[in-house]
Amino acid sequence: MKIFKLGDSGKEYEVSFEKVSSLRQSEEVDSAAVKYLSDGIVENGIWNTIIPTEYNSGWIMDGNHRYNVAKKLGLKYLPVAKLCYTDTRVSVLNWKRDGMSFLLYILAIFIGAAIATQSAINNQLKSFLGGGALLASLVSFVLGSFFLFFICLFSGEKLSLLYQIRNVNPLFLLGGFLGALFVFGTTFLAPRLGVTAMISLVILGQVTMAMILDKFGLLGMPIREILTLRVFGVVFVLIGVVMVSFGGN
């Protein structure tokens, strides 16, 4: 491990060479930008960028495009500076334009509305089929899988990468089971609790579990302290759930 001073700030960072396979991508990348960076690195014959990662988990703080360049070029090791989000040298900036941020908020609201609508639709599907919530959930999941397949096909995703599933940690495949549980659970609960009450309880569970994941860094997530304001947020969500669930009685 060596110590370097980076940029004009004069701040020192401990840098070590880490296996590319040990790093974890933290955001989506633009394939055109990856190609542009890759071509430049090949042309110059030099890699001159250190990748900052979260110390405990290996999540990439900055440099996801260059990480993908490294994989594309078949590199085995990268220069890495391991940091914590509580480090005074680390600052998180919002690089998105205000217009784009607004669109992302609208998209998130749309997704929330889609979840509520999905529960109602699956309940109607269950009645039409004459079966239970499991059968309706199966149909929903199969159709969703076909939809995602065609989206991947037309978006340029490399389906050949799926062969790597054979080497993946089985824990990382539990997302599919949890997704199926979510679809089945919402289909089962919507007619019994009402869509509004059910979604409120789902949000409460999501926020609570998210805080636990952040607090203890579970499943490789970066550790973040639970601030008082966040606790108040959960309390307000709980109050909202009670009001929504029992406000009509």
Side-chain angles (χ1 to χ4, degrees), residues 233-248:
V234 174
V235 172
F236 285 133
V237 170
L238 178 58
I239 293 173
V241 168
V242 172
M243 294 177 66
V244 166
S245 299
F246 302 102

Side-chain angles (χ1 to χ4, degrees), residues 114-236:
I115 291 174
T117 306
Q118 179 197 40
S119 304
I121 290 175
N122 284 347
N123 183 55
Q124 291 299 312
L125 177 63
K126 178 188 71 174
S127 300
F128 180 81
L129 294 175
L134 277 174
L135 184 60
S137 300
L138 174 63
V139 173
S140 180
F141 231 74
V142 169
L143 291 176
S145 297
F146 275 113
F147 175 74
L148 287 175
F149 172 78
F150 286 111
I151 290 294
C152 288
L153 200 62
F154 290 108
S155 66
E157 287 283 351
K158 295 181 179 179
L159 296 178
S160 59
L161 294 176
L162 289 174
Y163 80 93
Q164 296 187 38
I165 289 179
R166 60 184 180 180
N167 299 320
V168 76
N169 186 331
L171 179 65
F172 300 156
L173 299 177
L174 287 180
F177 292 100
L178 294 176
L181 176 63
F182 175 79
V183 173
F184 165 72
T186 53
T187 304
F188 178 79
L189 294 173
R192 291 167 173 79
L193 298 178
V195 176
T196 304
M198 180 202 68
I199 291 297
S200 300
L201 291 166
V202 167
I203 292 174
L204 176 62
Q206 288 176 327
V207 173
T208 303
M209 190 60 193
M211 290 183 64
I212 294 173
L213 291 172
D214 280 349
K215 172 64 178 178
F216 299 103
L218 302 177
L219 298 176
M221 297 304 295
I223 295 177
R224 291 185 175 90
E225 291 300 319
I226 299 180
L227 304 177
T228 304
L229 193 60
R230 290 187 177 183
V231 176
F232 277 120
V234 174
V235 172
F236 285 133

Side-chain angles (χ1 to χ4, degrees), residues 43-142:
E43 182 180 349
N44 296 323
I46 251 180
W47 183 286
N48 57 8
T49 303
I50 294 171
I51 307 296
T53 66
E54 204 279 327
Y55 190 86
N56 294 310
S57 64
W59 284 106
I60 296 172
M61 291 180 170
D62 188 32
N64 286 279
H65 284 85
R66 293 185 183 274
Y67 164 73
N68 278 270
V69 169
K71 292 202 302 181
K72 180 179 180 180
L73 298 179
L75 302 183
K76 300 298 183 183
Y77 293 87
L78 281 179
V80 168
K82 295 183 178 181
L83 303 168
C84 296
Y85 281 101
T86 54
D87 195 314
T88 56
R89 296 169 297 179
V90 175
S91 59
V92 180
L93 303 176
N94 184 4
W95 53 267
K96 301 181 181 69
R97 298 177 181 176
D98 292 339
M100 178 58 71
S101 296
F102 177 75
L103 290 177
L104 293 177
Y105 291 138
I106 295 298
L107 177 60
I109 293 173
F110 174 78
I111 291 173
I115 291 174
T117 306
Q118 179 197 40
S119 304
I121 290 175
N122 284 347
N123 183 55
Q124 291 299 312
L125 177 63
K126 178 188 71 174
S127 300
F128 180 81
L129 294 175
L134 277 174
L135 184 60
S137 300
L138 174 63
V139 173
S140 180
F141 231 74
V142 169

